[in-house]
Amino acid sequence: MKVLDRDELYDSLSVNDNYEVKANNVDGLQYYTIENFLKYPEKALGVLDLYPAINGVVYTPGMRQNFTPMDLAPIVKEYGKILDLDPTKFITSSILAWKDMKVWENSWMPHKDYETVCNLWLKDYHGGTAFYKYKRGTPPKGYQKTNKNNLVPWQNFEGDNDWDLYHIIPSVFNTVVIYDGRLYHGTYANFNDEYRYSLISFYQKGDLTFE
């Protein structure tokens, strides 16, 4: 059994003392970015690598490592400070995705999440998080047409007659992206043989505001 000292864990996940929260606004999409978030990103990768990754097809692509707020206390405490939210209520998992991973058919269609999403990129990767607008008002119920009986390789959704892909927030190593998960979005990447790796935290309640 591998034993990880909690002090060592928290030190590895230390957040930089001085960082800038940058506001971005693109076509009405408001989101925030924080560069160089972790003080020791390589050490953080070393300790996070000790957590098991669960594979098996679910709605979202790739593998997952699941974390409690206690596991990631330095990170979620900082999210709570930035957003004036209770850090114990963040639900966090990693997302590890790769080329030709199998997913349910149509699971790449735009979706919604909880209102506040904090996504910490742990690897540079070409692509990022794509945002979409439905061209005909409100999407009808069942628009995704996800087929759980058909496993196929992941594909990026480029938009179609109903959907417009209007912005991609890039995946930049050691950068946090904070956005409103109630906006339609999805994974977008030019996958290769290396893992696309991020740590994504959801908060179910609270406004996306900074104090």
Side-chain angles (χ1 to χ4, degrees), residues 24 29-33 83 85 90 95 111-121 128-131 166-167 169-170 176-187 196 198-203 206-210:
N24 307 272
L29 168 66
Q30 186 179 45
Y31 64 94
Y32 303 90
T33 51
L83 293 161
L85 297 174
F90 279 99
I95 301 178
H111 69 278
K112 292 183 176 184
D113 291 315
Y114 300 121
E115 61 181 292
T116 302
V117 180
C118 301
N119 194 5
L120 171 58
W121 291 103
T129 303
F131 286 81
Y166 66 98
H167 187 60
I169 302 176
V176 174
V177 178
I178 303 173
Y179 60 88
D180 187 340
R182 296 169 298 181
L183 301 173
Y184 288 102
H185 62 280
T187 297
R196 177 183 186 264
S198 68
L199 197 65
I200 190 162
S201 301
F202 300 103
Y203 195 92
D207 295 328
L208 185 58
T209 57
F210 293 91

Side-chain angles (χ1 to χ4, degrees), residues 26-206:
V26 180
D27 292 334
L29 168 66
Q30 186 179 45
Y31 64 94
Y32 303 90
T33 51
I34 307 170
E35 298 178 355
N36 300 314
F37 184 69
L38 296 176
K39 188 179 294 186
Y40 313 114
E42 297 298 340
K43 287 175 64 175
L45 285 170
V47 297
L48 294 175
D49 189 52
L50 299 175
Y51 287 78
I54 301 173
N55 197 11
V57 177
V58 293
Y59 175 74
T60 48
M63 296 187 293
R64 294 287 178 277
Q65 296 166 296
N66 297 311
F67 303 95
T68 70
M70 284 292 291
D71 295 331
L72 304 177
I75 292 174
V76 295
K77 281 183 178 179
E78 203 66 26
Y79 292 162
K81 175 183 174 183
I82 294 167
L83 293 161
D84 192 23
L85 297 174
D86 180 354
T88 68
K89 294 184 179 179
F90 279 99
I91 303 169
T92 304
S93 71
S94 67
I95 301 178
L96 294 102
W98 62 95
K99 183 179 180 181
D100 294 330
M101 61 184 172
K102 294 298 181 68
V103 299
W104 295 333
E105 184 181 11
N106 289 328
S107 62
W108 46 78
M109 292 296 291
H111 69 278
K112 292 183 176 184
D113 291 315
Y114 300 121
E115 61 181 292
T116 302
V117 180
C118 301
N119 194 5
L120 171 58
W121 291 103
L122 296 172
K123 190 174 185 62
D124 284 315
Y125 218 91
H126 191 274
T129 303
F131 286 81
Y132 302 85
K133 293 179 180 177
Y134 190 70
K135 301 176 182 179
R136 308 172 191 274
T138 303
K141 185 177 180 180
Y143 72 91
Q144 292 169 307
K145 298 180 181 178
T146 304
N147 184 356
K148 299 180 181 180
N149 297 316
N150 189 26
L151 294 180
V152 295
W154 171 268
Q155 58 181 273
N156 291 324
F157 182 58
E158 304 287 351
D160 57 20
N161 291 334
D162 295 323
W163 293 92
D164 177 35
L165 192 171
Y166 66 98
H167 187 60
I168 298 174
I169 302 176
S171 47
V172 179
F173 178 63
N174 200 23
T175 294
V176 174
V177 178
I178 303 173
Y179 60 88
D180 187 340
R182 296 169 298 181
L183 301 173
Y184 288 102
H185 62 280
T187 297
Y188 192 99
N190 290 341
F191 286 111
N192 55 47
D193 293 333
E194 296 183 348
Y195 287 124
R196 177 183 186 264
Y197 191 24
S198 68
L199 197 65
I200 190 162
S201 301
F202 300 103
Y203 195 92
Q204 298 182 57
K205 297 179 181 180

